[in-house]
Amino acid sequence: MPYRPGKGLGKAGVALIAALLFLGGCRSIPREAAAYVAPLPPEAVLTASLHAESLPPGLENSIFRVYGDDMAGILARTEELNLSVFNDGAAELLLEGNFPRFRTSLALGFSRSWELTGRNPDTWTLKNADAQVSLPEGGTLLFSSLGTDRILRAWEKRFQKGLLRESDLVILIPEMKNFSSGLPLGGECRIVGTWRETDLEFSFSWRFEDARQARTALPLAKLLLWGFMKGLDPDFDRRTLSSRIDGAEVQIGGIRMNPGSIEQLLTEYVDLQAWGRIGS
C-alpha cells in the first residue's frame, strides 16, 4: 500500500512546539557531521537522517518564512534529526540535542495540551488525540502522530539495525512504489546530501533487481530528477546531471539546490501542516 499523508504532525506538532518553547536557550557550538547511526523502523516507507548542526545559517531564514520562528527555534536546539513516515499516514521524529530530561519533562508537564500517560520511558499523550512524546533519556526526544512504540523500538535497536549516515543528510526509500504508486520505477533509493556553503549538493543511488533493469531505468530516472528539479528551479540545466551504472545500481549526481530551491522544496513538498489538514 503506497504512503498517504494522514494524521501526522499538524496540530500535534504545534502543541509540542508550544510546550518546548518553555525551554528557551539555544544549541551548543556546531560540530562537523560524523558517522551516525540513525534509527531504521523496518515498516517505514521513508527514513531521513539530518545532521542539523551542519545547516547553513542562512537556511534558518527559509525555515522562519515557511514554518514560523517556533519551528526554527526547535531546530536550533537539535543536533540530529531523524524522520520516518509510514503507509498508515504516521510521521515520527527522533530529535537529539539540547533537550535536558528534567526541563523538558517540566515543560510538557506545565502544558495544558499534554498529559503524562506512561513511565519508563516518560510518555505524554496529546489530549483527545493519539500523538505522543517520549523521553527515553536526556537529550533524546521521540514524537509520533500515532503513538511512540514503533519509533521507540527503532531507537533501542538502532545500533543493530540502523542507517549509517556519514554525510549531512541521508534519505532512504526502501521501495519507491510503496512510497509513491505513481512512479513507474520501483527499487530502493538512497539520497545523500552535503552542504556546500549555502547550497545543498546531493546524489541518488537507485538499486534495481539486475543490471539489465538498471540500464533500462537510467534514462527515465534522469528524466524524473530533471522534472523535479525544474519544478523547483526553472533555470536548472539538465546537462549538469552526471550518471553511471554500477551493476544493478543507477547513480546520478551533479545536483545542487540553491537557497531559493530549498525554500520552494520546504513550501511545496515538506508541508508539515498538510498531515494535520488531510487527517482531520
Side-chain angles (χ1 to χ4, degrees), residues 82-161:
N82 301 286
L83 166 70
S84 298
V85 296
F86 301 84
N87 61 17
D88 59 6
E92 301 186 351
L93 288 171
L94 185 151
L95 306 178
E96 297 184 10
N98 187 16
F99 300 104
R101 188 167 189 170
F102 175 76
R103 293 183 62 193
T104 305
S105 297
L106 196 63
L108 290 164
F110 273 101
S111 172
R112 295 182 179 181
S113 300
W114 300 87
E115 60 179 336
L116 184 65
T117 55
R119 294 285 192 183
N120 297 321
D122 290 350
T123 299
W124 285 261
T125 300
L126 185 65
K127 295 177 180 178
N128 303 318
D130 295 325
Q132 287 186 334
V133 175
S134 293
L135 293 170
E137 65 180 17
T140 300
L141 183 74
L142 307 180
F143 171 83
S144 174
S145 59
L146 293 176
T148 56
D149 288 347
R150 187 164 48 190
I151 192 66
L152 180 61
R153 288 196 302 270
W155 175 78
E156 290 172 340
K157 297 179 179 179
R158 65 178 178 162
F159 294 108
Q160 291 85 24
K161 298 180 180 180

Side-chain angles (χ1 to χ4, degrees), residues 204-223:
F204 285 74
S205 298
W206 210 326
R207 185 179 297 276
F208 297 92
E209 292 182 0
D210 51 47
R212 181 187 61 81
Q213 194 177 72
R215 289 193 299 270
T216 303
L218 176 59
L220 184 54
K222 290 180 67 174
L223 182 62

Side-chain angles (χ1 to χ4, degrees), residues 2-279:
Y3 167 70
R4 291 183 177 85
K7 299 180 180 180
L9 303 179
K11 297 177 182 177
V14 173
L16 176 61
I17 291 168
L20 294 183
L21 285 176
F22 179 86
L23 290 173
C26 59
R27 70 179 170 209
S28 57
I29 297 174
R31 56 184 172 80
E32 293 184 1
Y36 172 81
V37 181
L40 187 61
E43 315 94 326
V45 295
L46 179 148
T47 300
S49 180
L50 169 70
H51 180 62
E53 287 194 319
S54 67
L55 291 175
L59 188 62
E60 293 180 4
N61 295 328
S62 296
I63 296 171
F64 170 79
R65 283 191 291 269
V66 177
Y67 302 128
D69 56 353
D70 291 350
M71 184 65 74
I74 293 298
L75 192 58
R77 306 185 64 83
T78 302
E79 297 172 2
E80 310 292 348
L81 182 152
N82 301 286
L83 166 70
S84 298
V85 296
F86 301 84
N87 61 17
D88 59 6
E92 301 186 351
L93 288 171
L94 185 151
L95 306 178
E96 297 184 10
N98 187 16
F99 300 104
R101 188 167 189 170
F102 175 76
R103 293 183 62 193
T104 305
S105 297
L106 196 63
L108 290 164
F110 273 101
S111 172
R112 295 182 179 181
S113 300
W114 300 87
E115 60 179 336
L116 184 65
T117 55
R119 294 285 192 183
N120 297 321
D122 290 350
T123 299
W124 285 261
T125 300
L126 185 65
K127 295 177 180 178
N128 303 318
D130 295 325
Q132 287 186 334
V133 175
S134 293
L135 293 170
E137 65 180 17
T140 300
L141 183 74
L142 307 180
F143 171 83
S144 174
S145 59
L146 293 176
T148 56
D149 288 347
R150 187 164 48 190
I151 192 66
L152 180 61
R153 288 196 302 270
W155 175 78
E156 290 172 340
K157 297 179 179 179
R158 65 178 178 162
F159 294 108
Q160 291 85 24
K161 298 180 180 180
L163 171 66
L164 182 64
R165 194 209 64 227
E166 296 179 307
S167 191
D168 297 324
L169 169 69
V170 171
I171 300 173
L172 177 67
I173 304 175
E175 174 51 57
M176 288 297 294
K177 287 186 177 178
N178 290 341
F179 182 71
S180 176
S181 58
L183 282 176
L185 297 174
E188 178 187 282
C189 185
R190 182 185 177 99
I191 305 167
V192 176
T194 304
W195 293 107
R196 306 296 185 193
E197 296 181 347
T198 59
D199 289 359
L200 176 62
E201 178 180 295
F202 60 96
S203 60
F204 285 74
S205 298
W206 210 326
R207 185 179 297 276
F208 297 92
E209 292 182 0
D210 51 47
R212 181 187 61 81
Q213 194 177 72
R215 289 193 299 270
T216 303
L218 176 59
L220 184 54
K222 290 180 67 174
L223 182 62
L224 289 171
L225 278 178
W226 174 75
F228 177 76
M229 289 302 303
K230 196 74 172 176
L232 296 176
D233 180 7
D235 297 325
F236 181 77
D237 188 349
R238 184 177 180 178
R239 292 171 296 180
T240 64
L241 293 176
S242 62
S243 62
R244 63 187 295 264
I245 294 176
D246 183 5
E249 187 174 274
V250 168
Q251 299 174 357
I252 302 177
I255 303 171
R256 291 185 74 138
M257 296 177 64
N258 57 41
S261 297
I262 294 171
E263 187 167 334
Q264 186 79 358
L265 176 69
L266 293 173
T267 302
E268 295 189 9
Y269 295 96
V270 193
D271 185 357
L272 301 184
Q273 303 306 318
W275 275 299
R277 289 198 301 269
I278 295 172

